[in-house]
Amino acid sequence: MAYSVRHQVFVSSTFTDLKEERAEVIQAIWELDCIPTGMEAFVASNESQWDVIKRVIDECDYYVLIIGGRYGSVTDGISYTEKEYRYAKKTGLPVLAFVHGKPDEIPVGKTEKDETSRKKLEAFRSEIMKDYPIREWSSASELGGLVSRSLIREIKINPRPGWIRNDGSSPIALLEQINRLTEENGKLRETFVNNIDNEVDDTLESGATETALEGIRYLRDVNTYASSYHKWRCAASWDAIFKDIGPALINEASEEDIKNLISRFHSWDKVDKENYEAVGQVAISIETWSEILIQFRAFGTFRTGC
């Protein structure tokens, strides 16, 4: 069965002077069945703005940089646009850069009036034009078409993981395995519930017995900044597991809430901190969840509808 990958694209530029250009670029990205993101997606948060920006860039597959006539708001001595670019470049994200081809013709209202900012913009522009093939634009519509063609070519020659909708149609082996195990787990649940009585079977594991917990987590190489999925594995007693998730059960936590709590045990499998750091979400395997579900149902901790 066919499935499609949607790539997420970060659009970086100054904002007030390039609203029309950004709108054209974002529309072009949508028309390619990609997911555009940028400052429009940032909302009020308890996190610092830069932490939010970094996390969004980490989740993207490609980075589009647009340079017009303004340098933009400054933080830590450089503009947010330049800071975003340097972070994307540092993490190894493919960069597609587009500079205004006729800077002298940019309306005065859309150019820098401050001499320091003008010099920083010129230095930034020169660096980009030196590091990447020059892609020049002079109008919003021209920029939209240029981004579209460039992105199509970049996806072809430099494919990235992208996002796949998990609707059961993906032929990925892992999803097939999850579907199969889910069906088997459902049958086990039904059989177990029909046969269990109010007493705990003597064959069940005791609270001090350790069980293997495993899953996957996203790790970033601290040297190359490349990110990828890695398996994690640890052993924990049933007492330790219940102690960790017990308080949540009082409020009738959802299945997803319990899975997220159990996934925190990944920290017991220590990361090689000299080379990797954990980023993003962590998940437990279907096998781990099935084992926990059966044992805790037998202990009378979970109700049948959990």
Side-chain angles (χ1 to χ4, degrees):
M1 188 175 292
Y3 70 100
S4 59
V5 175
R6 287 198 170 194
H7 295 97
Q8 187 161 311
V9 183
F10 192 95
V11 181
S12 179
S13 73
T14 50
F15 188 72
T16 56
D17 59 316
L18 294 175
K19 286 184 178 180
E20 184 180 353
E21 288 80 2
R22 289 183 66 89
E24 287 284 344
V25 168
I26 289 172
Q27 180 63 32
I29 293 172
W30 278 123
E31 290 174 356
L32 293 178
D33 283 335
C34 294
I35 306 169
T37 189
M39 61 182 66
E40 293 92 344
F42 302 150
V43 295
S45 169
N46 291 329
E47 299 178 77
S48 73
Q49 183 175 1
W50 179 240
D51 287 338
V52 174
I53 291 172
K54 286 195 297 182
R55 191 175 71 250
V56 173
I57 292 176
D58 286 339
E59 294 173 349
C60 288
D61 298 290
Y62 301 96
Y63 178 91
V64 169
L65 172 64
I66 307 169
I67 298 180
R70 286 186 178 171
Y71 184 60
S73 301
V74 174
T75 175
D76 298 328
I78 61 175
S79 70
Y80 268 104
T81 304
E82 183 171 352
K83 193 171 184 178
E84 290 167 356
Y85 159 73
R86 297 200 180 284
Y87 181 76
K89 182 179 179 181
K90 183 179 179 180
T91 60
L93 202 62
V95 174
L96 288 78
F98 304 86
V99 300
H100 200 293
K102 300 177 180 178
D104 294 337
E105 297 180 10
I106 298 176
V108 174
K110 294 185 177 183
T111 59
E112 286 291 354
K113 298 179 177 62
D114 179 73
E115 180 65 22
T116 300
S117 295
R118 281 201 299 269
K119 289 182 178 179
K120 287 185 175 181
L121 174 63
E122 183 57 37
F124 184 34
R125 175 188 169 97
S126 298
E127 178 183 345
I128 296 300
M129 296 179 71
K130 178 183 65 176
D131 291 346
Y132 298 96
I134 297 175
R135 299 179 178 94
E136 296 184 345
W137 58 276
S138 57
S139 68
S141 58
E142 180 186 12
L143 176 61
L146 188 58
V147 169
S148 181
R149 293 191 299 273
S150 300
L151 189 55
I152 289 173
R153 182 175 182 276
E154 189 69 21
I155 291 173
K156 183 176 181 180
I157 65 174
N158 190 8
R160 300 277 291 177
W163 299 84
I164 300 174
R165 180 178 177 177
N166 186 9
D167 58 1
S169 63
S170 171
I172 297 177
L174 178 59
L175 292 180
E176 290 181 340
Q177 182 183 18
I178 290 174
N179 288 335
R180 177 177 58 79
L181 291 172
T182 300
E183 291 178 3
E184 293 177 0
N185 186 37
K187 294 177 182 178
L188 286 172
R189 291 184 191 182
E190 184 177 356
T191 301
F192 189 82
V193 170
N194 289 337
N195 290 286
I196 192 171
D197 56 24
N198 293 328
E199 295 182 4
V200 176
D201 194 321
D202 291 338
T203 63
L204 291 173
E205 297 178 349
S206 68
T209 303
E210 289 192 336
T211 185
L213 303 178
E214 59 183 20
I216 58 173
R217 59 186 172 187
Y218 212 47
L219 298 182
R220 177 192 293 155
D221 189 310
V222 299
N223 299 306
T224 65
Y225 290 91
S227 300
S228 59
Y229 283 106
H230 293 255
K231 288 184 178 180
W232 61 270
R233 182 181 176 88
C234 69
S237 69
W238 291 107
D239 284 340
I241 296 172
F242 181 76
K243 181 179 179 181
D244 195 62
I245 70 174
L249 300 180
I250 297 175
N251 297 319
E252 299 185 359
S254 68
E255 181 176 305
E256 194 61 33
D257 291 335
I258 297 171
K259 287 180 179 179
N260 289 336
L261 288 172
I262 296 169
S263 70
R264 297 188 303 183
F265 279 95
H266 84 93
S267 62
W268 287 22
D269 184 6
K270 301 300 182 183
V271 178
D272 177 7
K273 293 186 177 181
E274 291 187 1
N275 297 303
Y276 294 97
E277 61 179 348
V279 295
Q281 292 187 329
V282 182
I284 61 172
S285 68
I286 188 67
E287 294 89 347
T288 292
W289 174 243
S290 297
E291 177 67 18
I292 289 173
L293 194 64
I294 290 172
Q295 289 293 327
F296 275 72
R297 274 237 178 89
F299 293 146
T301 306
F302 291 165
R303 292 205 302 259
T304 302
C306 179

